[in-house]
């Protein structure tokens, strides 16, 4: 994040957590290779185990239209890694979502 952002505790917290992303065992992102291939390539230089599972909104639409279409459209390469992780040890974060959190909610999320 640019250093010119206002010095607000919530933004600083998010900035610090984001900088720690390369230390994660893996990243699961709601995107797909054709959309963000160059960005994903860069992210993989920092965190090689980066998996794409999106776009989730399109998957939901497919599911509503046809369960078979859903099964054929999902990138499942992350499932093997995910299944090998301890219960409740993975946090899903959807970057780009519009959400408003109170300070207490944000701090609670950060403590998980």
């Amino acid at each position: 994040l640019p250093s010119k952002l206002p010095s607000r505790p919530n933004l600083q917290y998010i900035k610090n957590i984001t900088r720690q992303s390369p230390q994660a065992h893996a990243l699961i992102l709601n995107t797909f290779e054709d959309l963000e291939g160059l960005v994903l390539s860069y992210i993989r230089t920092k965190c090689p185990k980066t998996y794409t599972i999106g776009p989730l909104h399109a998957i939901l639409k497919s599911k509503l239209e046809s369960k078979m279409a859903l099964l054929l459209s999902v990138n499942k390469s992350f499932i093997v890694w995910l299944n090998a992780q301890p219960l409740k040890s993975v946090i899903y974060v959807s970057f780009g979502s519009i959400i408003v959190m109170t300070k207490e909610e944000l701090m609670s999320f950060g403590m998980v």
Side-chain angles (χ1 to χ4, degrees):
L1 293 172
S3 60
K4 295 182 182 186
L5 286 175
S7 180
R8 297 190 306 207
N10 290 350
L11 283 178
Q12 291 302 318
Y13 178 75
I14 292 169
K15 179 180 170 182
N16 292 336
I17 293 299
T18 301
R19 285 189 173 160
Q20 294 176 25
S21 294
Q23 297 172 12
H25 293 288
L27 298 175
I28 302 172
L29 305 175
N30 178 16
T31 189
F32 57 103
E33 298 292 331
D34 290 342
L35 179 64
E36 297 179 294
L38 291 175
V39 173
L40 290 166
S41 293
Y42 177 78
I43 290 171
R44 286 185 178 111
T45 67
K46 306 295 181 189
C47 187
K49 293 181 181 178
T50 297
Y51 304 97
T52 59
I53 61 169
L56 293 179
H57 67 282
I59 293 171
L60 176 59
K61 182 179 178 190
S62 295
K63 183 176 182 180
L64 295 174
E65 292 173 359
S66 164
K67 286 186 178 184
M68 184 56 78
L70 173 67
L71 294 174
L72 296 175
S73 68
V74 176
N75 177 351
K76 294 183 179 131
S77 62
F78 72 97
I79 293 291
V80 173
W81 175 87
L82 188 59
N83 285 339
Q85 304 314 302
L87 186 64
K88 297 185 179 182
S89 67
V90 176
I91 296 175
Y92 171 78
V93 178
S94 177
F95 293 102
S97 297
I98 298 174
I99 187 167
V100 176
M101 298 176 89
T102 65
K103 181 178 179 180
E104 291 76 23
E105 290 170 329
L106 182 63
M107 297 306 288
S108 174
F109 179 77
M111 297 301 159
V112 173

